[in-house]
Amino acid sequence: MEFKLEAHRIVSISLGKIYSARGQRGGLKLHKNLLVSLVLRSARQVYLSEPGCPPEPPHAACGPPEEEPPPCTTVWAAGEPPPPPQDEAARGGPRLPGADCEGPRSRRCCCGCSCCCAAGGGEANPADCATAGAAAPPPPHCPRKRSAGERGQAGSPVKKPRREVEDPPPPPPGEQEDMDTGNVASLISIFGSSFSGLLSKEPKGRRRAPLDGSETAPAEAAAEPGQICCDEPVLRTLNPWSTAIVAF
Amino acid sequence: MKCFSRYLPYIFRPPSAILSSSCHAEADIISTVEFNHTGELLATGDKGGRVVIFQREQESKHQPHRRGEYNVYSTFQSHEPEFDYLKSLEIEEKINKIRWLPQQNAAYFLLSTNDKTVKLWKVSERDKRPEGYNLKDEDGRLRDPSMITMLRVPVLRPMDLMVEATPRRVFANAHTYHINSISVNSDYETYMSADDLRINLWNFEITNQSFNIVDIKPANMEELTEVITAAEFHPHHCNTFVYSSSKGTIRLCDMRTSALCDRHAKFFEEPEDPSNRSFFSEIISSISDVKFSHSGRYIMTRDYLTVKVWDLNMENRPIETYQVHDYLRSKLCSLYENDCIFDKFECVWNGSDSVIMTGSYNNFFRMFDRNTKRDVTLEASRENSKPRAILKPRKVCVGGKRRKDEISVDSLDFSKKILHTAWHPSENIIAVAATNNLYIFQDKVN
């Protein structure tokens, strides 16, 4: 559990660093941003792989870990019996993010949310759900949301969020490359506008909301590092937008 | 836990600590330090783009105790801040590296580089000036030719010594990413410059062309996993160079094998210790500096917590590993938060390759004697830099009872870091850059 907390914190910090790197004098430092993105990826993988579903009050997404048993089952009683607690235990170490949400058919699953959001929401590719390091195939009804973020996951680290991350790091300044930092800048400004709603801590309920722009999750976290990163106590207590960060 | 020892073969004393202003501006932060090949000159570069060169005083029997002191010889602005309009990027003027060329005539030559541009500077003395021009008078004003009734030959008259630095070559527009290293080849005709993804080979005479000899840029930047962090030519073999990566690997390349040295001749990597795995394993394994020994037989690498010595003939692991500040291993998360984990420490060999030195935090720097396996921690501070005082070894207390004179890990000042040090090529004189201050310590054997 502490690893999950730690991982969560590290993800927040990393996003903050990536964001602030954009305004740095001298341009983006490729080396540093690469290292930050590697840390981000490790932390995210740990976060997703840790067993134990964070509590899922109706408005909470994948908040930071709490001691209660997977509330996703209670919250997202979607018509499938929630996975029995022992499933959690049985799964233990290996990461099976998808498995956690095998109950809920709805888009909202707790730990499933983790990997959903982590994925950043996207295609409905169940196979992608498990990509967060897991070897086991996810339940067939992995929410569409999850896949979106996992798009491009196969074979390479989370591509979508990674583009967010990588966009700052390796923008080959001036080169004729595919990447252009203009993308990220505009994304961040777009998401910036939706901040007020996102940070209101209202149960946005739908995880969908943050996934509208698909990059919202990470971007918003990135765009307001001060808010999110510093808001740790809140984050640790069921802030829906912690999922956003995890989504990265 | 490390136990330090006083039994290094020399004891360092500071005959003079050259300090800049006490209220320091960011521009004064020293970013590189380098002795020239004879040790007579010491160059420093700072964040403001300036280069300051110190020269060692000649021995004089009238003031024997002042022998070996370094005084300012020349100061010049090497690089200015620039703006790249196409990419909307500001280019910092900070001097990343200085490398001297061996002296071939009365003038001194050095290379200095910022993130994008390398410059060759000529530093020369002028102690005579011509007087007696025909067409202009002493103030430089033109004379009326019709007033000239006789001609004379200008003569050279002595003047106060003036040291002037002129840029002789500017090597620009060859690097997309930030230059981290330059290295002069032993042929003295070429040098290389390395950025995050590419290494270019230049000829000193040609500024509008350079050869790309290493290119690790992936076709798809999303697949980027490592960058080049440092590069250096072999001290004797002009065809050989090494470059280190952010993954903790070193590649040795031979330029004779092919024009593009993407395939290495040797690959040095130590397998990771799984018990030390953490979120930050990748960051702390990133190599921040690589240096050939003077003999050319070994390479030394610095990563965040250790210094390693590798034998060129053994690729699978280093022959020596020295812990610089292992007590930081449990604090990596905090160091990540405050960005200290990204600090790039350099490392240096002494002239005989028997001792290696590197910096740490709290203005501490460490020396390791490779033969006796003893090490020492010293501090660069004004308090213990009285002339002719002996530097007292310091010790960091990790846990438990802190003895007098020890400093606990939590009291370390992480804003005082020694990233850049230099060792005289033949004598036991070291230069240590502590933020905006330069300390020069000498060993005075009685």
Side-chain angles (χ1 to χ4, degrees):
Chain A
M1 266 317 175
E2 308 108 44
F3 292 128
K4 205 165 181 130
L5 274 173
E6 174 94 342
H8 184 271
R9 182 161 162 254
I10 290 172
V11 167
S12 314
I13 294 170
S14 304
L15 289 174
K17 285 190 193 299
I18 290 173
Y19 177 74
S20 58
R22 293 185 53 76
Q24 241 174 18
R25 202 175 161 241
L28 284 156
K29 309 271 188 269
L30 182 60
H31 183 199
K32 179 176 175 186
N33 281 274
L34 177 67
L35 294 176
V36 170
S37 69
L38 292 175
V39 168
L40 186 60
R41 205 188 333 162
S42 318
R44 181 180 157 274
Q45 280 172 349
V46 165
Y47 190 88
L48 297 179
S49 70
E50 278 282 315
C53 207
E56 277 311 314
H59 57 275
C62 280
E66 301 250 345
E67 294 67 27
E68 313 161 43
C72 54
T73 66
T74 59
V75 176
W76 307 110
E80 284 259 325
Q86 61 264 24
D87 284 0
E88 296 284 332
R91 285 190 284 275
R95 348 150 120 186
L96 292 175
D100 287 337
C101 68
E102 69 182 78
R105 293 178 186 282
S106 80
R107 303 234 176 109
R108 297 156 288 180
C109 34
C110 62
C111 293
C113 286
S114 309
C115 84
C116 271
C117 295
E123 307 134 9
N125 186 348
D128 287 338
C129 293
T131 326
H141 34 264
C142 238
R144 224 175 306 144
K145 217 178 293 273
R146 178 182 315 176
S147 328
E150 306 278 351
R151 177 192 334 158
Q153 183 95 338
S156 69
V158 191
K159 193 164 174 168
K160 192 88 166 147
R162 188 170 176 83
R163 191 174 298 122
E164 275 284 296
V165 182
E166 290 298 339
D167 228 34
E175 270 200 1
Q176 309 288 339
E177 306 282 345
D178 308 321
M179 308 271 213
D180 61 298
T181 47
N183 253 348
V184 180
S186 56
L187 285 170
I188 290 182
S189 60
I190 289 167
F191 306 133
S193 62
S194 53
F195 252 74
S196 51
L198 297 171
L199 290 175
S200 69
K201 308 202 178 52
E202 285 309 312
K204 270 295 172 86
R206 316 266 138 197
R207 180 96 29 165
R208 253 174 303 211
L211 298 171
D212 274 343
S214 41
E215 265 88 333
T216 322
E220 85 203 8
E224 288 272 3
Q227 286 272 7
I228 293 189
C229 297
C230 302
D231 230 6
E232 280 197 19
V234 182
L235 286 178
R236 286 166 194 270
T237 56
L238 321 176
N239 184 323
W241 309 122
S242 60
T243 320
I245 297 166
V246 172
F248 211 121
Chain B
M1 181 51 205
K2 285 263 101 68
C3 59
F4 61 89
S5 149
R6 295 167 189 252
Y7 290 98
L8 282 179
Y10 20 78
I11 298 164
F12 282 98
R13 311 166 199 243
S16 62
I18 292 141
L19 312 171
S20 62
S21 63
S22 51
C23 56
H24 81 258
E26 174 131 345
D28 294 334
I29 296 175
I30 298 171
S31 51
T32 184
V33 185
E34 186 82 355
F35 279 101
N36 74 340
H37 292 257
T38 60
E40 182 203 354
L41 299 180
L42 174 67
T44 62
D46 65 23
K47 268 191 129 180
R50 282 177 307 237
V51 172
V52 179
I53 302 178
F54 300 87
Q55 185 186 44
R56 195 175 186 192
E57 274 202 21
Q58 297 305 315
E59 232 178 291
S60 136
K61 60 174 171 244
H62 301 291
Q63 290 182 310
H65 63 275
R66 287 185 66 82
R67 176 196 171 270
E69 283 193 8
Y70 284 82
N71 299 313
V72 178
Y73 178 64
S74 171
T75 303
F76 57 93
Q77 186 75 30
S78 169
H79 287 71
E80 298 273 3
E82 288 173 52
F83 194 79
D84 183 334
Y85 298 97
L86 281 180
K87 305 162 198 167
S88 282
L89 277 182
E90 194 176 357
I91 301 170
E92 278 189 280
E93 66 277 27
K94 171 169 80 92
I95 307 294
N96 293 335
K97 284 283 166 9
I98 289 175
R99 290 288 182 262
W100 290 93
L101 269 67
Q103 198 175 4
Q104 286 168 327
N105 53 34
Y108 304 102
F109 287 87
L110 62 82
L111 286 175
S112 67
T113 185
N114 68 349
D115 284 339
K116 297 287 184 183
T117 304
V118 186
K119 294 188 184 179
L120 175 69
W121 288 89
K122 174 180 176 184
V123 181
S124 50
E125 295 179 7
R126 187 193 292 273
D127 61 358
K128 297 184 187 41
R129 68 159 179 252
E131 284 177 20
Y133 284 102
N134 292 294
L135 293 178
K136 55 181 177 174
D137 63 23
E138 297 311 317
D139 297 326
R141 284 185 301 242
L142 289 175
R143 281 169 157 184
D144 179 1
S146 58
M147 303 293 290
I148 297 172
T149 54
M150 53 175 274
L151 292 177
R152 54 186 176 165
V153 177
V155 292
L156 290 173
R157 298 226 189 274
M159 60 179 260
D160 290 336
L161 179 65
M162 191 171 74
V163 181
E164 47 186 20
T166 49
R168 302 298 291 177
R169 304 273 188 276
V170 177
F171 305 92
N173 302 319
H175 286 280
T176 306
Y177 302 95
H178 295 135
I179 297 175
N180 52 54
S181 315
I182 44 175
S183 178
V184 179
N185 203 346
S186 50
D187 63 9
Y188 304 147
E189 287 184 4
T190 57
Y191 75 93
M192 69 169 161
S193 54
D195 68 26
D196 292 318
L197 297 177
R198 299 191 176 100
I199 302 181
N200 294 332
L201 182 72
W202 302 83
N203 181 299
F204 281 111
E205 300 302 318
I206 301 168
T207 59
N208 60 0
Q209 285 181 47
S210 74
F211 285 111
N212 175 242
I213 52 176
V214 173
D215 187 340
I216 65 167
K217 182 166 183 286
N220 181 2
M221 278 300 268
E222 291 187 0
E223 290 160 20
L224 181 74
T225 53
E226 72 182 317
V227 298
I228 298 169
T229 52
E232 197 182 43
F233 269 117
H234 191 283
H236 314 308
H237 304 142
C238 56
N239 55 291
T240 305
F241 66 92
V242 292
Y243 69 91
S244 60
S245 84
S246 56
K247 275 189 169 173
T249 64
I250 307 104
R251 289 171 176 81
L252 183 140
C253 299
D254 186 334
M255 294 198 289
R256 296 171 299 188
T257 53
S258 67
L260 189 59
C261 299
D262 275 357
R263 273 200 300 212
H264 48 263
K266 291 192 193 233
F267 182 74
F268 300 84
E269 185 179 30
E270 182 175 30
E272 192 193 350
D273 177 2
S275 65
N276 273 336
R277 185 109 188 88
S278 77
F279 288 120
F280 309 104
S281 301
E282 278 145 334
I283 301 190
I284 62 171
S285 65
S286 175
I287 293 175
S288 51
D289 194 17
V290 67
K291 292 267 171 45
F292 272 102
S293 63
H294 293 91
S295 62
R297 204 179 142 196
Y298 304 102
I299 46 177
M300 165 166 57
T301 58
R302 174 74 156 98
D303 53 53
Y304 191 63
L305 297 178
T306 70
V307 187
K308 295 177 179 168
V309 176
W310 305 74
D311 186 319
L312 283 191
N313 300 315
M314 186 161 76
E315 299 171 52
N316 60 343
R317 61 177 176 82
I319 55 170
E320 295 154 30
T321 300
Y322 301 94
Q323 302 295 332
V324 181
H325 37 217
D326 202 58
Y327 45 79
L328 297 182
R329 198 179 286 274
S330 55
K331 309 219 173 284
L332 294 180
C333 193
S334 317
L335 294 166
Y336 177 69
E337 252 184 293
N338 64 14
D339 272 359
C340 283
I341 207 173
F342 300 106
D343 288 334
K344 298 194 181 162
F345 292 94
E346 293 173 6
C347 52
V348 289
W349 299 87
N350 74 338
S352 58
D353 299 336
S354 58
V355 181
I356 57 182
M357 172 167 72
T358 189
S360 177
Y361 293 104
N362 209 72
N363 278 352
F364 287 169
F365 56 100
R366 305 262 282 135
M367 285 186 200
F368 302 91
D369 187 319
R370 298 177 59 220
N371 300 324
T372 64
K373 298 303 177 202
R374 286 177 163 130
D375 61 86
V376 72
T377 304
L378 300 170
E379 181 179 1
S381 76
R382 298 195 192 201
E383 289 77 44
N384 55 7
S385 292
K386 311 281 183 302
R388 283 176 292 290
I390 301 175
L391 284 183
K392 203 175 68 168
R394 304 302 310 264
K395 184 159 181 188
V396 176
C397 150
V398 180
K401 206 156 167 340
R402 184 180 77 89
R403 278 190 281 237
K404 184 175 174 291
D405 281 355
E406 285 185 359
I407 181 164
S408 75
V409 181
D410 300 309
S411 316
L412 293 174
D413 186 344
F414 289 96
S415 66
K416 294 188 184 166
K417 50 193 87 170
I418 293 182
L419 304 174
H420 312 287
T421 59
W423 203 308
H424 190 284
S426 52
E427 296 189 33
N428 292 324
I429 304 172
I430 56 175
V432 174
T435 319
N436 61 323
N437 295 326
L438 180 73
Y439 293 82
I440 300 180
F441 301 112
Q442 283 195 25
D443 164 40
K444 290 254 190 330
V445 182
N446 292 330

